Amino acid sequence: MEIRRPRGTQDILPGAVEAWQALEAVVRDVFERANYEEIRTPIFEHTELFERGVGETTDIVSKEMYTFLDRGGRSVTLRPEGTAGVVRAYVENKLYGQGSLTKVYYLGPMFRYEKPQRGRLRQLHQVGVEVLGSELPAIDAEVIELGYSLLKRVGMRDMTVELNSVGCGVCRPRHREKMIERLLPHKGELCGDCQVRLEKNPLRLFDCKNESCQQVLREADVPYIVDELCDDCRQHLDAVEGYLRAMDVPYRLEKSLVRGLDYYTRTAWEITVPNFSTVLGGGRYNRLVAELGGPEVPGIGFAAGMDRVLAVLEAQGVALGERPPLDAYICVADETAEHTAMAVLTSLRRLGVRCDRDYQGRSLKSQFKQADRLGARFAVVIGESELAKGAATVKHLATGEQRDVPFGQLADRIREGGWT
C-alpha cells in the first residue's frame, strides 16, 4: 500500500524550500533590527490553555483543534496559534519579573483541522511577534508597522492595513447589551454558530462569513463597537492613528473588523491582499496574561501565515530565495586521488566554499557534465598527475579556461573568481 502525506499537509522540497529560508531570513532581520528576540514554545500544550486563552466560542477551539488524550490520560492539543503558548511561557517563567518590556518573535508549525485551500493548510506555518508590558498606543503602532514592513520587505504589493478597536471592559458590556437587545427578536434568522455567539460573545457576529447573518446585523441596525467606545478607548485609537500617519503607514478604519479570537481588547487590525483576504492579523490583549495566571500585564501581537505569504508572492510573480550555485565541483580522475579529493573537499567547505563531488562512480566526463548541471563555477580535477604536481587542475566552466592551482591556494583562487 502506498502511504501518502495526510490531507492538508505539504512536502516542502528542494527547489521550493529556498523561498521559505529566504522568508525566514527576512523575518529574523526585520524583527531583530527592532530589538525582538526569538522564543520557541512546545508544539503541543495542555488543552485548557487554548480553551481559556483563545476562547471557547472561537472557531479554533470549537471546531479546528487537534486534541487527544496522551498515555497518561491528559488532554493535550497541537498548538493552533502562537500567542497563548507565548503568554503561558511568559507567566510560567516569570519573565514579568525582569521589570522591562518583553519583545519576542516566533516562527513554526501550527495545526488546525479545516478545509484545505490555497494558502490555508491543516499544518500551517506562522510567524508572529508578541510585546508584553506596555499599554501605550506607540507600541501598537510599532507592531502594526513591523508587520507592514515585513510584507513590504519581501516584495508584497496591493496591501491594505485595516484598523479597528474592539473596546475594553468598560465599553464592551454596554455594546453587548445593545447587540443582544436588537438581535434577540431576530435570533431565529441567524446561523447556528451565531445563535451561540449571541449568548456568549455577540461581538463575534461581525466576524461571521454568512451573508444572511450580516444582513440581519444591518437590518437590526446593530451599532459598531468603534462607535460605542469609552473615552479611554477612543483616545487610544486616535493616538494609534496619529502614530501610523507619522510613520507613513497607510491604513483605513474598518468598523466591522473584530478578529476571530476572544482575547483581543482595543486595537485590532489585519493586512489584506485582493483574492487572498487576510495575510496578517493581530491585536491587543490586555487581560490575557492575568487570565492565564499572571499579573495584570498588557500585551499586543500579530501573526502571519507563512504558507499564505508565499502563495501571495507567487501569485504576484515575486521570486524569493533562489538557491546559489556551487562554487566548485571536485572531479576525481582516478582512485589514487580519492583521499586527497576528500581532504580538499572538506578543507574548501571549512573555508566557506560551496562545493560537492561525485559519489556514484561516474567517469571523469560524466563528472564534468554533473558539474555543469549543478551550475558550478569551477571544476577542480584531482588525479595522479595532479598529486605529482601538488596542484589541482581548475577549469572555469563558463569560459573553458583552466589553470594549475596549488592545493593550498584553491580556496583563495575560487573565492577570487579564478586566478590573477
Side-chain angles (χ1 to χ4, degrees):
M1 184 182 86
E2 182 182 7
I3 299 176
R4 304 176 64 86
R5 58 181 170 79
R7 187 177 183 220
T9 64
Q10 61 179 327
D11 298 311
I12 305 173
L13 303 176
V17 76
E18 290 79 13
W20 287 80
Q21 294 168 340
L23 176 57
E24 291 164 2
V26 173
V27 163
R28 296 183 190 280
D29 184 55
V30 169
F31 293 165
E32 290 175 8
R33 284 190 191 186
N35 197 31
Y36 288 70
E37 300 175 286
E38 185 179 2
I39 187 171
R40 303 187 184 191
T41 61
I43 288 181
F44 64 92
E45 300 264 11
H46 295 295
T47 302
E48 183 186 11
L49 171 67
F50 302 114
E51 292 175 341
R52 290 175 57 189
V54 178
E56 294 183 0
T57 65
T58 62
D59 287 345
I60 290 176
V61 171
S62 63
K63 300 178 181 179
E64 298 172 359
M65 294 202 312
Y66 280 89
T67 298
F68 55 94
L69 296 179
D70 67 11
R71 295 198 175 192
R74 295 170 291 261
S75 179
V76 295
T77 295
L78 298 179
R79 64 184 183 193
E81 58 93 52
T83 301
V86 170
V87 173
R88 191 268 313 147
Y90 176 81
V91 172
E92 183 173 345
N93 294 283
K94 296 181 172 59
L95 299 184
Y96 51 83
Q98 298 175 358
S100 61
L101 194 67
T102 298
K103 299 167 70 173
V104 296
Y105 73 90
Y106 61 85
L107 39 78
M110 310 290 167
F111 303 86
R112 298 182 188 177
Y113 189 86
E114 55 185 344
K115 183 178 180 180
Q117 52 187 291
R118 183 175 62 168
R120 187 188 296 271
L121 298 172
R122 290 177 176 174
Q123 178 178 317
L124 59 147
H125 296 77
Q126 279 191 348
V127 54
V129 304
E130 312 293 347
V131 181
L132 297 141
S134 174
E135 58 183 349
L136 296 181
I139 196 65
D140 299 44
E142 173 179 294
V143 172
I144 294 170
E145 192 280 334
L146 204 61
Y148 178 76
S149 288
L150 171 63
L151 298 181
K152 192 172 183 180
R153 171 84 176 271
V154 295
M156 192 173 294
R157 304 187 300 273
D158 303 326
M159 296 180 290
T160 300
V161 178
E162 299 180 351
L163 176 69
N164 197 23
S165 175
V166 293
C168 68
V170 174
C171 44
R172 285 268 281 273
R174 297 199 302 252
H175 180 257
R176 172 191 172 92
E177 290 179 7
K178 289 186 178 181
M179 287 196 70
I180 293 175
E181 178 184 352
R182 298 190 185 187
L183 288 172
L184 269 180
H186 305 277
K187 183 176 180 180
E189 303 169 43
L190 299 172
C191 70
D193 288 339
C194 282
Q195 290 182 26
V196 175
R197 291 167 181 154
L198 181 60
E199 297 178 3
K200 294 187 175 182
N201 188 359
L203 188 62
R204 292 217 45 246
L205 269 73
F206 286 104
D207 198 41
C208 182
K209 303 300 185 289
N210 190 317
E211 178 55 33
S212 63
C213 292
Q214 296 304 312
Q215 182 65 26
V216 170
L217 291 176
R218 290 190 291 268
E219 292 177 353
D221 195 25
V222 173
Y224 293 110
I225 180 66
V226 73
D227 295 326
E228 303 289 327
L229 297 178
C230 64
D231 290 342
D232 287 344
C233 287
R234 170 54 60 188
Q235 291 172 10
H236 188 94
L237 177 60
D238 290 344
V240 172
E241 292 188 71
Y243 282 118
L244 292 177
R245 289 192 293 268
M247 300 164 78
D248 196 27
V249 177
Y251 75 93
R252 75 179 185 203
L253 196 63
E254 179 55 64
K255 293 185 175 184
S256 63
L257 173 63
V258 297
R259 300 289 296 153
L261 303 174
D262 286 354
Y263 52 61
Y264 286 130
T265 55
R266 290 192 172 171
T267 308
W269 79 94
E270 293 180 345
I271 297 180
T272 61
V273 174
N275 301 319
F276 280 89
S277 186
T278 304
V279 179
L280 179 153
R284 176 167 280 284
Y285 45 88
N286 288 351
R287 303 191 310 267
L288 184 57
V289 175
E291 288 176 359
L292 295 182
E296 293 285 346
V297 175
I300 188 169
F302 73 75
M306 298 174 71
D307 317 73
R308 182 167 293 190
V309 168
L310 291 170
V312 172
L313 293 177
E314 182 180 9
Q316 293 184 343
V318 178
L320 192 66
E322 295 183 0
R323 184 181 183 185
L326 287 177
D327 296 314
Y329 191 84
I330 310 300
C331 298
V332 186
D334 52 63
E335 290 185 3
T336 63
E338 276 289 342
H339 289 173
T340 300
M342 290 300 288
V344 168
L345 179 76
T346 303
S347 175
L348 289 176
R349 288 173 175 172
R350 289 174 179 172
L351 291 169
V353 177
R354 292 174 52 86
C355 54
D356 202 357
R357 60 152 292 179
D358 172 59
Y359 289 106
Q360 295 179 297
R362 292 184 175 97
S363 67
L364 187 60
K365 181 178 180 180
S366 295
Q367 290 180 61
F368 272 106
K369 289 182 179 179
Q370 179 67 0
D372 274 327
R373 279 193 291 267
L374 293 174
R377 291 191 301 141
F378 297 98
V380 178
V381 181
I382 304 175
E384 186 175 5
S385 62
E386 283 76 22
L387 295 180
K389 292 183 294 185
T393 302
V394 179
K395 182 176 182 179
H396 193 293
L397 291 174
T399 66
E401 184 181 3
Q402 67 181 44
R403 297 278 181 89
D404 289 340
V405 178
F407 291 128
Q409 298 178 21
L410 278 172
D412 289 338
R413 295 291 179 265
I414 290 171
R415 282 197 295 257
E416 291 168 2
W419 35 80
T420 57

